[in-house]
Amino acid sequence: METTLKNFVIEKAATSRIGEVNFENLSFGSVFTDHMLVCDYKDGQWGTPHIMPYQELPIAPSARVFHYGQAVFEGMKAYKDDEGGVWLFRPDENFKRINRSSVRMEMPEFPEEYFFEGLKTLLKLDQEWIKPGLGNSLYVRPFCIATHAGILASPADEYRFMIILSPAQAYYGGEVRVKIAEKFSRAADGGFGYAKAAGNYAGQFYPTRLAKEEGFQQVIWTDANTHEYLEEAGTMNIFVRMGDTLLTCPVSDRILDGVTRKSVLAIAEDEGIEVEVRPIKVSELIEGMKNKQLKELFGSGTAAVINPILGFGYKGQQYELPKIDDDYATRFKERLTAIQYNKAEDKFGWRYKVL
Ligand SMILES: Cc1ncc(COP(=O)(O)O)c(C=O)c1O
Protein backbone atom coordinates (compact mmCIF):
# COMPACT_ATOMS: atom_id res chain seq x y z
CA MET A 1 0.00 0.00 0.00
CA GLU A 2 1.13 3.53 -0.68
CA THR A 3 -0.47 6.94 -0.64
CA THR A 4 0.04 9.87 -2.96
CA LEU A 5 0.02 13.54 -2.07
CA LYS A 6 -3.70 13.55 -2.65
CA ASN A 7 -4.22 10.79 -0.10
CA PHE A 8 -5.39 8.28 -2.63
CA VAL A 9 -4.87 4.79 -1.32
CA ILE A 10 -3.09 2.76 -3.99
CA GLU A 11 -2.96 -0.98 -3.69
CA LYS A 12 -0.93 -2.40 -6.55
CA ALA A 13 -1.60 -5.71 -8.24
CA ALA A 14 1.04 -8.27 -7.23
CA THR A 15 1.54 -9.28 -10.86
CA SER A 16 0.34 -7.82 -14.15
CA ARG A 17 -1.97 -9.74 -16.49
CA ILE A 18 -0.79 -7.75 -19.50
CA GLY A 19 1.32 -10.65 -20.81
CA GLU A 20 -1.83 -12.75 -21.25
CA VAL A 21 -3.48 -10.22 -23.56
CA ASN A 22 -3.37 -10.37 -27.35
CA PHE A 23 -3.48 -6.69 -28.29
CA GLU A 24 -3.82 -7.60 -31.97
CA ASN A 25 -7.16 -9.25 -31.41
CA LEU A 26 -9.21 -7.43 -28.80
CA SER A 27 -12.93 -7.81 -28.54
CA PHE A 28 -14.31 -4.41 -27.44
CA GLY A 29 -14.89 -4.08 -23.70
CA SER A 30 -13.97 -7.62 -22.72
CA VAL A 31 -10.44 -7.23 -21.29
CA PHE A 32 -9.67 -4.99 -18.33
CA THR A 33 -6.40 -3.59 -17.02
CA ASP A 34 -4.69 -4.51 -13.74
CA HIS A 35 -6.29 -1.79 -11.61
CA MET A 36 -9.55 0.00 -10.94
CA LEU A 37 -10.64 3.02 -8.93
CA VAL A 38 -13.29 2.71 -6.25
CA CYS A 39 -14.82 5.47 -4.15
CA ASP A 40 -17.75 4.94 -1.78
CA TYR A 41 -20.42 7.41 -0.78
CA LYS A 42 -21.91 6.99 2.69
CA ASP A 43 -23.42 9.20 5.40
CA GLY A 44 -23.81 12.05 2.94
CA GLN A 45 -20.20 12.19 1.74
CA TRP A 46 -17.63 10.63 -0.52
CA GLY A 47 -14.86 8.61 1.16
CA THR A 48 -11.26 8.49 0.01
CA PRO A 49 -10.77 7.07 -3.49
CA HIS A 50 -8.99 3.76 -3.53
CA ILE A 51 -7.09 2.20 -6.40
CA MET A 52 -6.95 -1.56 -6.16
CA PRO A 53 -6.35 -4.61 -8.37
CA TYR A 54 -9.23 -5.16 -10.82
CA GLN A 55 -11.55 -7.60 -9.09
CA GLU A 56 -15.15 -8.65 -8.57
CA LEU A 57 -17.36 -6.73 -6.16
CA PRO A 58 -19.01 -7.99 -3.02
CA ILE A 59 -22.49 -6.48 -3.26
CA ALA A 60 -25.84 -7.29 -1.65
CA PRO A 61 -28.44 -8.88 -3.94
CA SER A 62 -30.86 -6.26 -2.59
CA ALA A 63 -28.61 -3.36 -3.69
CA ARG A 64 -30.87 -0.75 -5.29
CA VAL A 65 -28.96 -0.74 -8.57
CA PHE A 66 -30.27 -4.23 -9.36
CA HIS A 67 -33.88 -3.30 -8.76
CA TYR A 68 -34.37 0.34 -9.66
CA GLY A 69 -31.51 0.90 -12.08
CA GLN A 70 -29.84 3.77 -10.28
CA ALA A 71 -26.73 3.64 -12.42
CA VAL A 72 -24.91 6.17 -14.59
CA PHE A 73 -21.77 5.85 -16.67
CA GLU A 74 -19.38 7.58 -19.03
CA GLY A 75 -17.19 6.53 -21.93
CA MET A 76 -14.00 8.17 -23.09
CA LYS A 77 -10.61 7.13 -24.43
CA ALA A 78 -6.94 7.59 -23.52
CA TYR A 79 -4.52 7.76 -26.47
CA LYS A 80 -0.74 7.30 -26.65
CA ASP A 81 1.29 9.35 -29.11
CA ASP A 82 4.48 8.17 -30.84
CA GLU A 83 6.66 9.70 -28.12
CA GLY A 84 4.82 7.85 -25.37
CA GLY A 85 2.71 10.84 -24.28
CA VAL A 86 -0.72 9.88 -22.92
CA TRP A 87 -3.76 12.07 -23.70
CA LEU A 88 -7.46 12.29 -23.00
CA PHE A 89 -9.92 14.13 -25.23
CA ARG A 90 -12.08 16.75 -23.52
CA PRO A 91 -12.48 14.76 -20.26
CA ASP A 92 -13.99 17.83 -18.58
CA GLU A 93 -17.05 17.24 -20.78
CA ASN A 94 -17.40 13.67 -19.55
CA PHE A 95 -16.92 14.79 -15.98
CA LYS A 96 -19.68 17.39 -16.27
CA ARG A 97 -21.93 14.93 -18.07
CA ILE A 98 -21.69 12.14 -15.48
CA ASN A 99 -22.70 14.64 -12.83
CA ARG A 100 -25.64 15.87 -14.96
CA SER A 101 -26.67 12.23 -15.34
CA SER A 102 -26.32 11.65 -11.58
CA VAL A 103 -28.46 14.66 -10.72
CA ARG A 104 -31.24 13.35 -12.99
CA MET A 105 -31.07 9.88 -11.41
CA GLU A 106 -31.09 11.39 -7.88
CA MET A 107 -27.52 10.29 -7.23
CA PRO A 108 -24.71 12.30 -5.59
CA GLU A 109 -22.34 14.28 -7.81
CA PHE A 110 -18.70 13.18 -7.81
CA PRO A 111 -16.00 15.71 -6.81
CA GLU A 112 -13.94 17.12 -9.68
CA GLU A 113 -10.59 16.67 -7.96
CA TYR A 114 -11.26 13.01 -7.19
CA PHE A 115 -12.31 12.41 -10.79
CA PHE A 116 -9.22 13.94 -12.40
CA GLU A 117 -6.63 12.90 -9.83
CA GLY A 118 -8.13 9.42 -9.70
CA LEU A 119 -8.16 9.10 -13.47
CA LYS A 120 -4.59 10.35 -13.89
CA THR A 121 -3.25 8.11 -11.12
CA LEU A 122 -5.03 5.09 -12.55
CA LEU A 123 -3.87 5.77 -16.12
CA LYS A 124 -0.31 6.27 -14.93
CA LEU A 125 -0.38 2.94 -13.15
CA ASP A 126 -1.79 1.08 -16.17
CA GLN A 127 -0.02 3.10 -18.89
CA GLU A 128 1.57 0.00 -20.47
CA TRP A 129 -1.95 -1.05 -21.48
CA ILE A 130 -2.24 1.96 -23.81
CA LYS A 131 -0.69 1.00 -27.13
CA PRO A 132 0.52 3.69 -29.56
CA GLY A 133 -0.70 3.74 -33.14
CA LEU A 134 -3.77 5.23 -34.75
CA GLY A 135 -6.86 3.31 -33.66
CA ASN A 136 -5.38 1.87 -30.48
CA SER A 137 -6.69 3.34 -27.24
CA LEU A 138 -7.66 2.58 -23.70
CA TYR A 139 -11.39 2.89 -23.20
CA VAL A 140 -12.15 4.58 -19.88
CA ARG A 141 -15.40 3.67 -18.18
CA PRO A 142 -16.30 5.75 -15.10
CA PHE A 143 -19.61 4.70 -13.55
CA CYS A 144 -21.63 4.97 -10.38
CA ILE A 145 -24.14 2.56 -8.87
CA ALA A 146 -26.49 2.50 -5.88
CA THR A 147 -25.01 -0.08 -3.49
CA HIS A 148 -27.43 0.53 -0.61
CA ALA A 149 -28.96 -2.80 0.43
CA GLY A 150 -32.75 -3.02 0.68
CA ILE A 151 -35.46 -3.13 -1.93
CA LEU A 152 -37.36 -0.02 -1.01
CA ALA A 153 -38.20 1.91 -4.19
CA SER A 154 -36.53 5.13 -3.18
CA PRO A 155 -33.13 6.70 -3.78
CA ALA A 156 -30.21 4.98 -2.07
CA ASP A 157 -28.08 6.42 0.70
CA GLU A 158 -24.97 4.55 -0.41
CA TYR A 159 -23.22 4.58 -3.77
CA ARG A 160 -20.03 3.35 -5.34
CA PHE A 161 -18.19 5.34 -8.01
CA MET A 162 -15.68 3.37 -10.06
CA ILE A 163 -13.37 3.67 -13.04
CA ILE A 164 -12.37 0.63 -15.05
CA LEU A 165 -10.15 0.58 -18.15
CA SER A 166 -10.31 -1.62 -21.23
CA PRO A 167 -7.78 -1.68 -24.10
CA ALA A 168 -9.43 -1.13 -27.48
CA GLN A 169 -8.49 -1.29 -31.13
CA ALA A 170 -9.89 0.81 -33.95
CA TYR A 171 -13.63 0.44 -33.79
CA TYR A 172 -15.00 -0.25 -37.19
CA GLY A 173 -18.76 0.05 -36.99
CA GLY A 174 -19.00 -1.97 -40.19
CA GLU A 175 -21.48 -1.48 -42.98
CA VAL A 176 -24.29 0.30 -41.24
CA ARG A 177 -27.81 0.34 -42.56
CA VAL A 178 -30.34 1.73 -40.14
CA LYS A 179 -34.04 1.44 -39.53
CA ILE A 180 -35.80 4.70 -38.79
CA ALA A 181 -37.98 4.11 -35.73
CA GLU A 182 -41.70 4.28 -36.48
CA LYS A 183 -43.04 2.67 -33.31
CA PHE A 184 -40.44 2.42 -30.53
CA SER A 185 -38.87 5.39 -28.76
CA ARG A 186 -35.67 5.82 -26.86
CA ALA A 187 -36.62 8.89 -24.85
CA ALA A 188 -39.51 11.26 -24.24
CA ASP A 189 -40.04 14.88 -23.27
CA GLY A 190 -39.30 15.37 -19.59
CA GLY A 191 -37.58 11.98 -19.39
CA PHE A 192 -33.90 11.18 -19.01
CA GLY A 193 -32.71 10.55 -22.57
CA TYR A 194 -29.99 13.15 -22.06
CA ALA A 195 -28.54 11.17 -19.15
CA LYS A 196 -26.03 8.40 -19.66
CA ALA A 197 -28.13 6.20 -17.42
CA ALA A 198 -27.99 2.42 -17.70
CA GLY A 199 -31.72 1.98 -18.40
CA ASN A 200 -31.52 4.11 -21.54
CA TYR A 201 -29.38 1.39 -23.08
CA ALA A 202 -31.33 -1.66 -21.90
CA GLY A 203 -34.44 -0.12 -23.46
CA GLN A 204 -32.78 -0.02 -26.87
CA PHE A 205 -31.77 -3.67 -27.04
CA TYR A 206 -35.18 -5.12 -27.92
CA PRO A 207 -36.12 -2.70 -30.74
CA THR A 208 -32.56 -2.99 -32.06
CA ARG A 209 -32.80 -6.78 -32.16
CA LEU A 210 -36.06 -6.53 -34.11
CA ALA A 211 -34.38 -4.12 -36.54
CA LYS A 212 -31.46 -6.57 -36.89
CA GLU A 213 -33.90 -9.33 -37.79
CA GLU A 214 -35.05 -7.11 -40.65
CA GLY A 215 -31.44 -6.77 -41.85
CA PHE A 216 -30.52 -3.43 -40.27
CA GLN A 217 -27.61 -2.89 -37.88
CA GLN A 218 -29.05 -0.02 -35.85
CA VAL A 219 -32.10 2.08 -35.17
CA ILE A 220 -32.36 5.79 -35.86
CA TRP A 221 -34.44 7.07 -33.00
CA THR A 222 -37.17 9.56 -33.78
CA ASP A 223 -39.21 11.76 -31.45
CA ALA A 224 -41.63 9.82 -29.26
CA ASN A 225 -44.62 12.06 -30.05
CA THR A 226 -44.76 11.96 -33.83
CA HIS A 227 -41.82 9.81 -35.05
CA GLU A 228 -41.36 12.53 -37.66
CA TYR A 229 -38.06 13.99 -36.42
CA LEU A 230 -34.61 12.41 -36.21
CA GLU A 231 -33.06 12.22 -32.74
CA GLU A 232 -30.10 9.82 -32.42
CA ALA A 233 -28.36 7.11 -34.40
CA GLY A 234 -28.29 4.08 -32.08
CA THR A 235 -25.84 5.20 -29.38
CA MET A 236 -24.45 8.02 -31.47
CA ASN A 237 -25.55 11.52 -32.39
CA ILE A 238 -26.77 11.95 -35.93
CA PHE A 239 -25.51 14.14 -38.76
CA VAL A 240 -27.00 14.69 -42.22
CA ARG A 241 -25.28 16.27 -45.24
CA MET A 242 -27.84 17.90 -47.47
CA GLY A 243 -26.11 19.37 -50.49
CA ASP A 244 -23.01 20.77 -48.79
CA THR A 245 -24.85 21.83 -45.64
CA LEU A 246 -24.27 19.85 -42.46
CA LEU A 247 -27.38 19.30 -40.35
CA THR A 248 -27.78 17.96 -36.85
CA CYS A 249 -30.65 18.23 -34.41
CA PRO A 250 -30.36 20.37 -31.28
CA VAL A 251 -29.70 18.61 -27.99
CA SER A 252 -32.64 18.47 -25.59
CA ASP A 253 -33.79 16.45 -22.61
CA ARG A 254 -34.22 13.51 -25.01
CA ILE A 255 -30.76 13.56 -26.58
CA LEU A 256 -27.29 12.89 -25.21
CA ASP A 257 -25.05 15.92 -25.56
CA GLY A 258 -22.21 14.09 -27.30
CA VAL A 259 -18.61 15.26 -26.99
CA THR A 260 -17.89 14.09 -30.54
CA ARG A 261 -20.98 15.94 -31.81
CA LYS A 262 -19.92 19.26 -30.37
CA SER A 263 -16.37 18.71 -31.67
CA VAL A 264 -17.67 17.98 -35.20
CA LEU A 265 -19.70 21.17 -35.09
CA ALA A 266 -16.63 23.19 -34.07
CA ILE A 267 -14.51 21.62 -36.85
CA ALA A 268 -17.24 22.21 -39.43
CA GLU A 269 -17.40 25.85 -38.42
CA ASP A 270 -13.61 26.07 -38.58
CA GLU A 271 -13.66 24.63 -42.12
CA GLY A 272 -16.29 27.11 -43.26
CA ILE A 273 -18.92 24.40 -43.80
CA GLU A 274 -22.46 25.66 -43.59
CA VAL A 275 -24.09 24.17 -40.51
CA GLU A 276 -27.72 24.08 -39.41
CA VAL A 277 -28.59 22.88 -35.91
CA ARG A 278 -32.33 22.42 -36.10
CA PRO A 279 -35.02 19.74 -35.93
CA ILE A 280 -34.68 17.44 -38.98
CA LYS A 281 -37.72 15.75 -40.43
CA VAL A 282 -37.56 12.17 -41.72
CA SER A 283 -39.47 13.46 -44.75
CA GLU A 284 -36.47 15.69 -45.57
CA LEU A 285 -34.33 12.56 -45.99
CA ILE A 286 -36.88 11.01 -48.34
CA GLU A 287 -37.11 14.26 -50.30
CA GLY A 288 -33.29 14.49 -50.31
CA MET A 289 -33.07 10.99 -51.82
CA LYS A 290 -35.50 12.00 -54.56
CA ASN A 291 -33.80 15.26 -55.48
CA LYS A 292 -30.30 13.82 -54.85
CA GLN A 293 -29.43 16.44 -52.25
CA LEU A 294 -28.98 13.86 -49.46
CA LYS A 295 -25.27 13.08 -49.72
CA GLU A 296 -24.32 11.65 -46.33
CA LEU A 297 -25.69 10.37 -43.07
CA PHE A 298 -23.38 9.52 -40.20
CA GLY A 299 -23.30 8.96 -36.46
CA SER A 300 -20.76 10.51 -34.08
CA GLY A 301 -19.54 9.03 -30.81
CA THR A 302 -16.45 8.17 -28.79
CA ALA A 303 -16.30 4.50 -29.85
CA ALA A 304 -16.24 4.88 -33.64
CA VAL A 305 -15.60 8.66 -33.81
CA ILE A 306 -17.63 8.90 -37.04
CA ASN A 307 -19.65 6.02 -38.41
CA PRO A 308 -20.99 6.46 -41.95
CA ILE A 309 -24.50 5.16 -42.60
CA LEU A 310 -24.85 3.53 -46.00
CA GLY A 311 -28.59 3.29 -46.16
CA PHE A 312 -31.84 3.41 -44.25
CA GLY A 313 -35.23 1.77 -44.11
CA TYR A 314 -38.44 3.68 -43.57
CA LYS A 315 -42.07 2.59 -43.98
CA GLY A 316 -41.05 -0.60 -45.74
CA GLN A 317 -38.83 1.20 -48.29
CA GLN A 318 -35.05 0.86 -48.51
CA TYR A 319 -32.90 3.83 -49.41
CA GLU A 320 -29.20 3.61 -50.38
CA LEU A 321 -27.01 6.65 -50.04
CA PRO A 322 -24.79 7.61 -52.97
CA LYS A 323 -21.06 6.88 -52.85
CA ILE A 324 -19.27 10.21 -52.96
CA ASP A 325 -15.70 11.51 -52.94
CA ASP A 326 -14.46 14.01 -50.37
CA ASP A 327 -17.08 12.99 -47.85
CA TYR A 328 -17.46 14.94 -44.63
CA ALA A 329 -17.39 11.74 -42.53
CA THR A 330 -13.78 10.94 -43.48
CA ARG A 331 -12.73 14.57 -43.15
CA PHE A 332 -14.10 14.91 -39.62
CA LYS A 333 -12.74 11.55 -38.52
CA GLU A 334 -9.25 12.40 -39.76
CA ARG A 335 -9.22 15.81 -38.12
CA LEU A 336 -10.52 14.49 -34.82
CA THR A 337 -8.15 11.53 -34.61
CA ALA A 338 -5.16 13.73 -35.54
CA ILE A 339 -5.98 15.91 -32.52
CA GLN A 340 -6.68 12.94 -30.24
CA TYR A 341 -3.35 11.23 -31.09
CA ASN A 342 -1.34 14.45 -30.81
CA LYS A 343 -0.53 14.45 -34.52
CA ALA A 344 -2.01 17.87 -35.25
CA GLU A 345 -2.16 21.28 -33.68
CA ASP A 346 -4.85 21.46 -31.01
CA LYS A 347 -6.24 24.90 -31.81
CA PHE A 348 -9.38 24.23 -29.78
CA GLY A 349 -7.54 23.21 -26.59
CA TRP A 350 -9.24 19.80 -26.44
CA ARG A 351 -6.27 17.58 -25.57
CA TYR A 352 -5.66 16.86 -21.90
CA LYS A 353 -2.18 15.64 -21.01
CA VAL A 354 -2.05 12.72 -18.61
CA LEU A 355 1.63 11.79 -18.93
C1 LIG B 1 -27.10 7.74 -26.66
C2 LIG B 1 -25.80 8.28 -27.09
N1 LIG B 1 -25.76 9.31 -27.96
C3 LIG B 1 -24.60 9.86 -28.36
C4 LIG B 1 -23.38 9.38 -27.90
C5 LIG B 1 -22.10 10.02 -28.36
O1 LIG B 1 -21.53 10.74 -27.30
P1 LIG B 1 -19.96 11.00 -27.24
O2 LIG B 1 -19.60 11.68 -28.51
O3 LIG B 1 -19.78 11.87 -26.04
O4 LIG B 1 -19.31 9.67 -27.10
C6 LIG B 1 -23.36 8.29 -27.02
C7 LIG B 1 -22.09 7.72 -26.56
O5 LIG B 1 -21.54 8.13 -25.59
C8 LIG B 1 -24.59 7.76 -26.57
O6 LIG B 1 -24.61 6.74 -25.70
Side-chain angles (χ1 to χ4, degrees):
M1 290 242 195
E2 58 180 78
T3 21
T4 67
L5 282 177
K6 300 281 178 188
N7 287 327
F8 283 121
V9 181
I10 301 176
E11 191 189 331
K12 284 194 182 153
T15 52
S16 174
R17 287 177 283 101
I18 198 166
E20 300 161 21
V21 178
N22 178 2
F23 283 85
E24 302 301 313
N25 186 22
L26 292 166
S27 152
F28 182 80
S30 59
V31 172
F32 294 89
T33 64
D34 291 322
H35 299 92
M36 63 186 193
L37 178 133
V38 174
C39 187
D40 287 328
Y41 180 91
K42 204 177 171 179
D43 300 327
Q45 58 184 16
W46 289 101
T48 309
H50 191 144
I51 288 176
M52 60 175 74
Y54 182 89
Q55 59 195 270
E56 294 185 357
L57 305 177
I59 184 165
S62 64
R64 306 262 164 108
V65 62
F66 298 133
H67 306 274
Y68 309 116
Q70 256 192 314
V72 296
F73 67 99
E74 265 308 321
M76 52 195 184
K77 284 177 172 173
Y79 310 89
K80 192 172 267 178
D81 66 27
D82 296 336
E83 284 73 50
V86 174
W87 305 88
L88 289 164
F89 182 72
R90 309 186 76 176
D92 48 316
E93 296 289 340
N94 300 88
F95 168 71
K96 285 186 268 179
R97 194 168 66 189
I98 199 167
N99 279 343
R100 285 201 300 275
S101 300
S102 291
V103 168
R104 181 63 181 82
M105 305 316 280
E106 191 57 11
M107 297 166 73
E109 292 176 75
F110 196 62
E112 186 166 3
E113 193 190 18
Y114 285 8
F115 184 87
F116 284 98
E117 287 305 315
L119 191 50
K120 279 193 282 190
T121 312
L122 188 62
L123 286 171
K124 212 163 157 182
L125 212 53
D126 284 342
Q127 59 180 286
E128 290 306 317
W129 293 77
I130 318 173
K131 299 298 174 192
L134 221 55
N136 295 324
S137 66
L138 189 63
Y139 185 81
V140 179
R141 169 54 59 89
F143 65 106
C144 186
I145 54 171
T147 46
H148 189 162
I151 52 170
L152 184 69
S154 66
D157 290 335
E158 291 169 19
Y159 296 87
R160 175 163 279 200
F161 182 95
M162 301 185 65
I163 304 177
I164 54 177
L165 308 170
S166 177
Q169 285 174 291
Y171 182 93
Y172 173 59
E175 303 248 302
V176 177
R177 287 186 175 75
V178 294
K179 180 182 169 74
I180 298 186
E182 293 161 39
K183 176 180 164 201
F184 293 103
S185 307
R186 177 187 171 275
D189 292 341
F192 55 98
Y194 70 91
K196 224 166 152 60
N200 275 333
Y201 297 81
Q204 296 193 44
F205 295 159
Y206 174 67
T208 305
R209 180 187 35 99
L210 295 184
K212 283 185 176 161
E213 285 172 8
E214 288 183 56
F216 300 102
Q217 283 74 44
Q218 274 175 27
V219 174
I220 296 264
W221 300 105
T222 49
D223 72 291
N225 294 335
T226 66
H227 294 294
E228 280 182 18
Y229 292 90
L230 304 179
E231 301 236 297
E232 296 208 62
T235 56
M236 293 182 288
N237 293 112
I238 185 154
F239 282 90
V240 178
R241 175 175 173 185
M242 203 61 88
D244 285 333
T245 305
L246 185 69
L247 309 177
T248 192
C249 44
V251 289
S252 67
D253 58 4
R254 303 180 307 274
I255 295 175
L256 194 89
D257 185 2
V259 181
T260 320
R261 173 188 177 278
K262 61 177 67 157
S263 308
V264 165
L265 288 175
I267 289 173
E269 192 184 328
D270 185 57
E271 298 210 348
I273 292 170
E274 196 175 320
V275 176
E276 289 179 19
V277 178
R278 59 158 177 87
I280 306 163
K281 278 194 141 181
V282 180
S283 59
E284 292 180 62
L285 300 188
I286 312 295
E287 189 55 32
M289 288 302 303
K290 284 192 193 134
N291 65 21
K292 301 199 179 345
Q293 286 303 296
L294 177 59
K295 293 195 179 159
E296 288 181 72
L297 264 183
F298 56 87
S300 72
T302 297
V305 190
I306 302 290
N307 204 358
I309 294 168
L310 305 184
F312 62 93
Y314 182 61
K315 297 209 164 143
Q317 294 277 328
Q318 308 278 346
Y319 300 87
E320 283 292 304
L321 275 99
K323 302 223 177 334
I324 59 166
D325 294 330
D326 191 23
D327 57 298
Y328 286 172
T330 307
R331 236 157 107 178
F332 292 137
K333 184 162 185 168
E334 283 177 359
R335 269 204 74 183
L336 277 168
T337 47
I339 296 173
Q340 289 165 338
Y341 287 84
N342 191 25
K343 286 182 180 297
E345 183 207 347
D346 179 21
K347 64 189 282 188
F348 306 100
W350 288 337
R351 268 196 304 263
Y352 177 96
K353 190 156 178 59
V354 178
L355 275 169

